[in-house]
Every structure is written in structure tokens, then in C-alpha cells.
Amino acid sequence: GPDGKLYTTTADGKIVRYDIAADGSLSTPQVINTITTREAGPRIISGLVFHPDSTAENLVAYVSHGEFAFAGANDFTGKITKLSGANLQNGVDLVRGLPRSVRDHLNNQLVFGPDGKLYLSVASNTATGAPDPAWGNRAEHLLSASILQVDLNALPTTVDVRTEDVPTPYDPFAPDAPVKLYAAGIRNALDLLWHRNGRLYAPNIGAVQGGIAPQSPD
């Protein structure tokens, strides 16, 4: 973090902050329960990034998290939450309704781009693109298996990005959409890296055998 401390996250919704000694050893772990308190229970925290303008005196972080489940998870339960304060004790949901697979695929790590916008990957709902029993026969959605671009300056207090099963589906192609598709067809990129050459790199996890691929149009 900008305060020179190490921040880690857990699969049940905790953020743990450590002091770092000169020899690299860690001490004085402090558990931050802002996400679990806000959600009234555990969540899988899958990513955390500090705002580039964040300082030791003004901590501002963004957390990617999803429903605490590794089987039978509910769809559209992913969120991005902004945390601030000396102990990241203040929270506000910025994005909700991100796609979620029935298993361990959800919204992943966040990274700021050179344009000042926030980028994150959202994993696929399937093994290889088409619904299959091992993944609960859940189909892909418009924002799944993708990398999203979030314009923080264009966000209202909270935006719901569910693209299906709601009266007014979210449209990422609208000119004023604060959350847009940056890249599509990326199965499960756990992390992202903006290189100084201006390109974004994503380590994509491939599928094991047995997945069902979509049929061709003919």
C-alpha cells in the first residue's frame, strides 16, 4: 500500500495488513473486516488495488469480491467496493451484479490503466464456452469471460451491470456506460498487467478436458 504496508486478502472476506521490517519479515497483522461487516457474512475477495493518487494519509482502495461459495453459487453476485479511511473502514459499492459461475469463477483482480480507468477480468461461467452439467448448465453472459473497463469519473453512486433477468438490462455499449467491455472471450484471467509499452497482458487459464464448446452457426 501507499503506507508501505503489505495488504493481503482472504477467501472469506478479510483484508489483513502487515508491517514490513527492513529484512522483509512481516509483523503486527491487523484484520480489516469492512467487507464482511457490510455484507453481513463472508465473501470471496479476489482482488484489491489502491488508487494511484492514494497516500498514506488518504488510503483509497478498490476491492473485487463475490459470493462466498465454491459450488452452487448464485449468478450476478459479483461486486466492486471502494474502501477508504485510515483502516479502510468506509465502504461504498460502486459496481454490483457482475456475472458469477456456479463454481470458482468470478470477478478477479483489479488494475489501473494508463488512462486512469479501472480494469478487471470477469471469468467465464463455463469450461469452454457452452453450458455443461459440470458448471451447472449456466450460460455465458454479455460481461462474463471478459475484461471490463470502469470509468470511475462516470460512475453514479452504484451501478448494477446485470445484463439479463432484470426489467432494464445494463447496456455496456451505451455511449455513457461507465462499465464497458474492453476485451471478450477470455476464460479466466486471475490478474492483469499494464506494461510500459502501453499494452495490457492477461494470464488466461485454459480448460481441462470435457467442456462443451459452442456450435457453429451452421
Side-chain angles (χ1 to χ4, degrees):
D3 52 3
K5 298 184 179 183
L6 178 68
Y7 288 77
T8 68
T9 65
T10 71
D12 61 353
K14 300 180 182 68
I15 298 171
V16 186
R17 175 166 62 189
Y18 296 88
D19 290 331
I20 307 175
D23 63 358
S25 61
L26 306 178
S27 64
T28 324
Q30 176 189 357
V31 178
I32 299 171
N33 289 308
T34 307
I35 295 295
T36 57
T37 299
R38 286 176 50 81
E39 298 289 337
R43 296 276 288 180
I44 298 175
I45 295 183
S46 47
L48 182 149
V49 66
F50 283 92
H51 193 283
D53 295 334
S54 182
T55 65
E57 295 73 30
N58 182 30
L59 294 177
V60 179
Y62 298 83
V63 177
S64 176
H65 57 103
E67 181 183 359
F68 181 68
F70 296 94
N74 292 299
D75 206 349
F76 299 115
T77 51
K79 292 184 179 182
I80 300 173
T81 302
K82 176 183 177 181
L83 302 182
S84 61
N87 295 303
L88 299 180
Q89 72 275 13
N90 306 312
V92 58
D93 292 338
L94 299 182
V95 179
R96 65 186 180 203
L98 290 165
R100 170 66 198 268
S101 75
V102 298
R103 292 169 57 178
D104 57 353
H105 283 193
L106 64 159
N107 39 294
N108 292 314
Q109 175 63 19
L110 309 148
V111 62
F112 276 93
D115 55 3
K117 295 178 182 178
L118 193 61
Y119 292 79
L120 78 150
S121 65
V122 179
S124 65
N125 287 339
T126 67
T128 53
D132 67 75
W135 290 82
N137 289 311
R138 182 170 293 171
E140 299 294 347
H141 302 311
L142 186 56
L143 300 185
S144 62
S146 70
I147 294 174
L148 304 182
Q149 178 196 72
V150 183
D151 186 348
L152 297 175
N153 294 324
L155 276 174
T157 303
T158 306
V159 60
D160 192 319
V161 295
R162 285 179 289 183
T163 56
E164 301 174 31
D165 304 327
V166 288
T168 305
Y170 182 78
D171 180 10
F173 301 109
D176 59 347
V179 180
K180 295 184 177 182
L181 281 163
Y182 181 78
I186 300 168
R187 182 178 183 270
N188 188 17
L190 296 181
D191 207 345
L192 300 173
L193 172 69
W194 278 99
H195 194 276
R196 62 188 176 191
N197 63 15
R199 296 185 177 183
L200 178 64
Y201 293 85
N204 194 26
I205 299 176
V208 297
Q209 293 180 347
I212 302 175
Q215 295 181 347
S216 65
D218 57 357

